[in-house]
Amino acid sequence: MHKPRFLDQLTAELADHEAFGTQLAGRRPFQPEHVEPQWPRDRQADIRHIRLELTLDFERRAIAGTATHRLAAIVDDLARLEFDEAELEIKAVRAGGRPVEFTTDGGKLAVTLAAPIKAGAEIEITIDYAATQPRRGLYFVGPDAAYPDKPVEAWTQGEDEDSRYWFPCYDYPNDKATSEVIVTVPARFTAISNGALVSTAPGASPETRTFHWRQEVPHSAYLITLAAGEFVELRDQAGAVPVLYYVHAGREHDARRAFGNTPRMIQFYERIIGVPYPYAKYAQVAVTDFIFGGMENTSATTQTADTLHDERAHLDFSSDPLVAHELAHQWWGDLVTCRDWSHAWLNEGFATYFEALWCEETLGADEFAWNLRQDRGNYFGEDAHHYRRPIVCNRYRAPIELFDRFLYEKGALVLHMLRRLLGDTLFFKSLNRYCTQHRGQNVITQDLQRAFEETTGRNLDWFFDQWVYKEGHPELEITSSYDDQHKLASVAVKQTQQVNATTALFRFTSSIALMDADGAETRHQVEVERREHTFHFPSAKAPKAVRFDPGHDLLKTVRHKRSREALETVLRYAPEAIGRGEAASELGKDGSAAAIAALKTALLGDRFWGVRADAASALGAIRTEAAIAALVEGLSVAHPKARRAVVRALGEFRDRPEAAAALLELLKRGDPSYFVEAEAALALGRTRDGRAFETLRAVLERPSHQNVIATHALSGMAELREERAIDVAREMIPYGRPPRVRVAAAGAMAKLAELSQSRRAEILDLLLPLADDREFLMRLRIPGALEQIGDPRALGALRRLEQSDLDGRIRRRAGEAASAIVEGRTRSEEGSRMRTEIDKLREDNRRFEERLARLEARGGRNGNS
Ligand SMILES: [Zn+2]
C-alpha cells in the first residue's frame, strides 16, 4: 500500500506540518497500556482456491453472488469451519454441493459440516451472499448533485482486513490460494481483476458483460481485487509481460505520462532481484476517490487517479515513486508475503526502498541520497513528535496503525544499511535467495535474516536486534582535533542515546572523510560498537573539514560543531550533494557576510538542485538584507524544485516589503511550475503583507494539479490572520468543492480560530459536523483541525469518530486529538483559558478510557475492532 507519501502530499499541500496535529505534542506511547499483543491466527484449513462469481449492481450499489472455497483440512476431524464476513447477507452455504447449517455472529460465518473430515481431505464450501451499499472493502463511486461529473466506478480495497466486506473469506495474510473472479457488469464497463483474462462474454441479463479472470499464483485474500468502470485500456509490453493501464477516456496521454515507465521498471526489478515478474500481466487501474495512493493487488494494482497529471505538472511532479512502489510489491508483499502484520515491513520497507532504487537507477546517486534523506526526515518526525516503536511490533489495536514511518521509511533505511554493510553483490544475492526460497509463501523477519546469513556467512543477530526488534537510532556527538606535533588527526565518536532494554548501544561501520582546503579528501573506514571511540589518522597537516558518514548512509542524528570555514569548504567541494546540502543548512545558523556569500554562490551555481534548495532555505533562516537580495536573485534558478525553495524562503521575511513584492510579482506573471506558484501563494501569506489578501483570493481560482495552488492559497490566507480570510475559507468547505480544497479550507479555518473567541465558536460550529463528512479525506483531517482549536466542545465528535469510524487511521487520529485536548497539549493561543474546564474533563476522560478498555477487551480480540 502506498500510504505515507500520499498523506505527505496532502500535508505538504496544506503546507502545515502540524496538519495532523502531532508535531508539537511531543512523543506519546505508541499504544495505551492496556493493548495486548496480537498473535498470528491459527488455521484449521488450507484454502487452495477461491472462486467468486459476482454481479455488480451500480444502481443499487450492491453486489451479489457466490464465493466458493476449495480447502483442505489441516487438523483432523474438522467439523466446523469459520470464515470472516462483515455486514454481508449470507443466503445459503453448501459443502461438497449439499446444503449445510451455518450461523453468522460477531463477524464470523460458522459452517458445520455434515460429517467431520480428516487432515488433508479436501472439501468445497460454496457461499451464496449479497451486500448492499458496503461500507468498506468494495466502494461504489458515482456522480451526485454536488459532483455531477464524477465517473461511475466500483473498486475494492482489501488491505489490511477489509476483503470480508465484499466476500466471505479467511481474511488474514497467513494463507494463500489461487483465485478466480467472474464478474458481470453493465456491457459498457470493463472489469479488471487478478491474473489472466480467461474470457469475456455477454452476461445472462441483457446489456451486461461477464469478465472471467484467473490468478494461478497463490496469494493472500487481501490481494484479491476487482475494479470496474468505463475504462479505456492502454497496452504496453515488458519483455513477454503484457502491461496495461486503465483510465477514463480523455486521460490517455496523462496515463502514458504517469505510468509509461512501468515496462522499464519491471525489467529493472527483474534484473536486480533475479526473479522474473511472476504474474500473467501487470495492470494499473486509475480509480476515483481512492483511499490510499496505490494498492498492490497481485498483477492488478489500483492507483489513485490523482496521480494522473498534465504536461505542466510533469515539470516537477512524477508518478514514478508511486508506480515503482506498487510494482516492487509484486515481489515483496505479493509473491513473498508477511505472515502477519507485525512483520509488514517485509512488504512496505521493501517497496519503499525499491522506490528509492528506481530513483537511483534513473536519476543517479544524488537524487537517491535525497530520496533517503526524505525518508529519514519522515522517520525522525514521527519518532520525535508522535511515538517510537520497534519495526516489528505486535501491540496494536487496528493493523493499519502499523502502516507508519517505522514500517515504511525506517524499514527502507534499514535495508539500505544492510546493503552498505554487505555491498551490492552480496545484498542482491541475498535478496534473490530470500525471494527464491520463499516465493509463494508467508514470511517473517527471521526468514529474511537467515537468507542473508546463508548467503554471506555472517551472523546478523546484532544487526536485526538493534534495528528491527529494538527501537531508536544512534544519537552521535562528533568532535575532532589535530595534534601538530604527532601529525595526527583525531575524531571522537560518542553515542549519547539512552541505552536500555528497548534501545541498543549501536554497532555500525561508517567512514570519516578528512578534507583539505582545496577539497582533496582521504577516507577512513571505522567500526563503532562502544559508547565512545577516538580514531586517530596520520595527516601531514590539519584537515580543513571533517565529515562523518559522508554518504549519509547511517540512520542517526549527529551533533558536530564545525567552523564556518570548514562548512564553506564542504559546501564547495564535497563530492556528494547530500554533504554540500548539509553544510549549506548549517551555514544558515552562522549568518555572517561570508556565510551569505557562500550560500549565494551555492544557490546560483551548485550542480544539484537540492543543494541550491538547501542554500535558499539557509538564506531564509538568516533574514538579513543581503540574504533577501540573494534570494530574489535566486528566483531565476532553472530547476523548479530549487525555485520552490527560494519562494518558500522568501516567505520567512515578514516586514520586508521587497520579499512580498517579489512574491506578488511572481504570482502576477505566473511560473511554469504549478508547485512554485502554489508555494509562492503560501509564502506570500506568511509575509502578512497588506497586499496579500486580494492576490490570494484571485489565485485561489487558478486551476492546477491536485488543486495545489488553491490549497496553498488557503493555507496562505490562514497565515494572514485576517478575519475576512474566514469568509473565503467558509465558501470553500461545502461538499461539492474539490476534496483537497475542502480539506485545506478546514485547516485554514482551524488556524484562523485563534483570531477571536467569537470567531472560534463560529468556526467550531462549522467544523464539528464535518466529523461525519461523507469524504474520507475530510474525516481524516478533521481531528487535527479540532485538536488545533483545542476546544473541549469537540470531544464528543472526536470520541464518536474514535469509537465508530470504520477507518483505523481516523480512529487513531481522533483518539490522539481528543487526548491532546484533554491534556491541554494543543497549539491554540487561547488554550490556557480553558484549563479549568479541561481539569474537569480529565476525570471524564479517565472514565471514558476505562470504558473503552473494557469494550476493547470484550470485542476487540479479533483484531477488527
Ligand atoms: Zn506499499
Side-chain angles (χ1 to χ4, degrees), residues 339 342-343 345-346 388-394 410 414 443-450 453 460-472 500-504 506:
R339 179 196 65 187
S342 69
H343 293 275
W345 80 286
L346 299 173
R388 172 174 282 187
R389 70 171 182 89
I391 291 177
V392 172
C393 167
N394 67 356
K410 190 176 185 188
V414 166
V443 283
I444 52 176
T445 304
Q446 289 87 334
D447 295 317
L448 177 72
Q449 183 182 334
R450 182 166 299 187
E453 291 183 341
L460 294 167
D461 282 349
W462 58 274
F463 181 91
F464 282 85
D465 182 65
Q466 69 188 20
W467 290 117
V468 180
Y469 301 111
K470 288 198 169 99
E471 56 191 32
N500 51 33
T502 55
T503 305
F506 282 83

Side-chain angles (χ1 to χ4, degrees), residues 47-92:
I47 302 190
R48 303 233 159 119
H49 187 70
I50 301 170
R51 179 182 166 100
L52 303 176
E53 291 158 278
L54 304 167
T55 301
L56 289 181
D57 180 342
F58 285 85
E59 296 282 304
R60 292 175 50 242
R61 299 192 164 202
I63 183 171
T66 302
T68 303
H69 290 78
R70 194 176 77 237
L71 52 89
I74 293 173
V75 296
D76 242 339
D77 299 323
L78 179 66
R80 187 175 178 275
L81 273 164
E82 272 191 358
F83 294 90
D84 299 298
E85 68 88 14
E87 305 178 4
L88 299 177
E89 187 194 338
I90 307 292
K91 297 184 166 172

Side-chain angles (χ1 to χ4, degrees), residues 15-33:
D16 175 0
H17 292 293
E18 293 88 355
F20 288 84
T22 54
Q23 297 296 311
L24 291 185
R27 195 185 290 158
R28 311 164 186 190
F30 174 52
Q31 294 295 338
E33 288 280 320

Side-chain angles (χ1 to χ4, degrees), residues 1-2 296 325-326 329 348 351 408:
M1 247 180 325
H2 206 284
E296 68 273 16
H325 180 106
E326 302 309 334
H329 273 309
E348 298 302 346
Y408 286 76

Side-chain angles (χ1 to χ4, degrees), residues 303-338:
Q303 303 282 26
T304 171
D306 285 352
T307 201
L308 301 175
H309 56 279
D310 62 18
E311 215 171 337
R312 188 176 164 200
H314 202 57
L315 199 60
D316 49 348
F317 175 88
S318 168
S319 297
D320 270 18
L322 176 65
V323 173
H325 180 106
E326 302 309 334
L327 178 66
H329 273 309
Q330 300 297 319
W331 287 264
W332 314 120
D334 292 1
L335 190 60
V336 177
T337 309
C338 62

Side-chain angles (χ1 to χ4, degrees), residues 795-804 815 818-819 822 845 848-849:
L795 287 173
L798 288 170
R799 293 305 189 192
R800 201 171 61 247
L801 270 186
E802 182 185 13
Q803 274 189 312
S804 60
S819 305
V822 169
N845 186 61
F848 175 87
E849 299 244 312

Side-chain angles (χ1 to χ4, degrees), residues 32 34-35 397 798-804 811 815 819 844-860 865:
H34 63 78
V35 174
R397 288 164 291 178
L798 288 170
R799 293 305 189 192
R800 201 171 61 247
L801 270 186
E802 182 185 13
Q803 274 189 312
S804 60
R811 290 200 300 276
S819 305
D844 292 350
N845 186 61
R846 196 184 54 74
R847 285 195 216 113
F848 175 87
E849 299 244 312
E850 281 172 12
R851 215 179 92 221
L852 189 65
R854 282 198 301 275
L855 279 173
E856 282 186 358
R858 232 189 301 157
S865 54

Side-chain angles (χ1 to χ4, degrees), residues 54-288:
L54 304 167
T55 301
L56 289 181
D57 180 342
F58 285 85
E59 296 282 304
R60 292 175 50 242
R61 299 192 164 202
I63 183 171
T66 302
T68 303
H69 290 78
R70 194 176 77 237
L71 52 89
I74 293 173
V75 296
D76 242 339
D77 299 323
L78 179 66
R80 187 175 178 275
L81 273 164
E82 272 191 358
F83 294 90
D84 299 298
E85 68 88 14
E87 305 178 4
L88 299 177
E89 187 194 338
I90 307 292
K91 297 184 166 172
V93 180
R94 294 177 292 286
R98 296 216 170 123
V100 287
E101 302 270 320
F102 68 92
T103 58
T104 55
D105 189 34
K108 299 283 179 193
L109 162 65
V111 177
T112 308
L113 302 179
I117 59 170
K118 291 248 172 294
E122 273 198 3
I123 193 163
E124 210 167 68
I125 307 289
T126 307
I127 305 161
D128 297 334
Y129 72 100
T132 307
Q133 301 190 1
R135 297 194 299 161
R136 299 284 288 179
L138 173 64
Y139 299 76
F140 285 95
V141 175
D144 59 14
Y147 299 98
D149 299 328
K150 199 176 271 192
V152 178
E153 292 171 10
W155 43 262
T156 62
Q157 170 61 28
E159 196 175 19
D160 43 46
E161 296 177 4
D162 283 349
S163 285
R164 62 187 73 179
Y165 281 87
W166 71 283
F167 63 97
C169 56
Y170 176 80
D171 200 1
Y172 199 75
N174 68 352
D175 187 274
K176 288 188 174 219
T178 54
S179 71
E180 269 170 290
V181 174
I182 301 157
V183 60
T184 301
V185 293
R188 62 184 195 280
F189 280 46
T190 301
I192 299 104
S193 184
N194 315 85
L197 184 61
V198 178
S199 64
T200 59
S205 324
E207 312 273 308
T208 62
R209 200 144 65 115
T210 300
F211 290 80
H212 182 171
W213 293 90
R214 188 180 174 92
Q215 174 57 285
E216 300 281 1
V217 184
H219 58 163
S220 299
Y222 78 88
L223 294 166
I224 296 182
T225 184
L226 171 58
E230 289 183 67
F231 297 118
V232 292
E233 181 187 275
L234 305 178
R235 298 191 76 93
D236 236 329
Q237 194 78 24
V241 181
V243 177
L244 307 150
Y245 318 126
Y246 294 92
V247 293
H248 291 288
R251 303 304 300 271
E252 292 88 343
H253 288 294
D254 296 346
R256 296 267 178 209
R257 197 173 288 117
F259 303 138
N261 283 334
T262 309
R264 281 175 61 214
M265 281 182 204
I266 291 176
Q267 288 170 329
F268 170 64
Y269 287 162
E270 286 184 330
R271 194 173 80 235
I272 60 172
I273 302 169
V275 173
Y277 176 82
Y279 303 111
K281 57 121 195 330
Y282 187 60
Q284 290 169 92
V285 192
V287 305
T288 307

